[in-house]
Amino acid sequence: MSKRALCMWLLCAAVSARGEPFRIVLPSAPTPAEKTAASELEHYLSLTVAGQLSVAGQSPVRFLIGDSAEARRAGLVSTNMAEEAWHVRSTGADVVLVGGGRRGTLYAVYHFLEEVVGVSWWNAF
């Protein structure tokens, strides 16, 4: 396991141990984009809605990032998706964020943050 993956796993474990209402789960061998997606999701959720999360009235919420076994069980197989296509789906108290190609999962996370959480990125142009 790489140092970064270990750090992400420890961060997720620490967040879960503190009783936070969410946990971020990466695949066993995450891609760099999946690691970035998890990091971005954790950062913005911590700043915004960390104490208010529930899915279908259930908490804690697990965010399943990328091409994981859970995503495949939910019928979301990244290798079957077009380049940069993405899906966001909830199953029970889980939110599955997965995409095709190198950046699809990252786009799924950004879409979720914008459309569900309400995060906005402002641009001078």
Side-chain angles (χ1 to χ4, degrees), residues 42-88:
E42 192 277 329
H43 173 74
Y44 287 103
L45 288 179
S46 294
L47 293 175
T48 56
V49 296
Q52 308 161 12
L53 284 175
S54 69
V55 174
Q58 299 179 22
S59 185
V61 175
R62 281 190 329 157
F63 290 94
L64 309 173
I65 306 294
D67 192 24
S68 64
E70 291 92 343
R72 288 189 293 277
R73 280 194 291 276
L76 301 172
V77 181
S78 66
T79 55
N80 294 344
M81 294 180 192
E83 182 77 21
E84 300 183 355
W86 49 265
H87 288 281
V88 176

Side-chain angles (χ1 to χ4, degrees), residues 121-125:
W121 291 272
W122 297 95
N123 180 333
F125 302 104

Side-chain angles (χ1 to χ4, degrees), residues 16-17 19 21 27 53 58 86 106 116-117 120:
S16 181
L53 284 175
Q58 299 179 22
W86 49 265
L106 187 58
V116 177
V117 178
S120 295

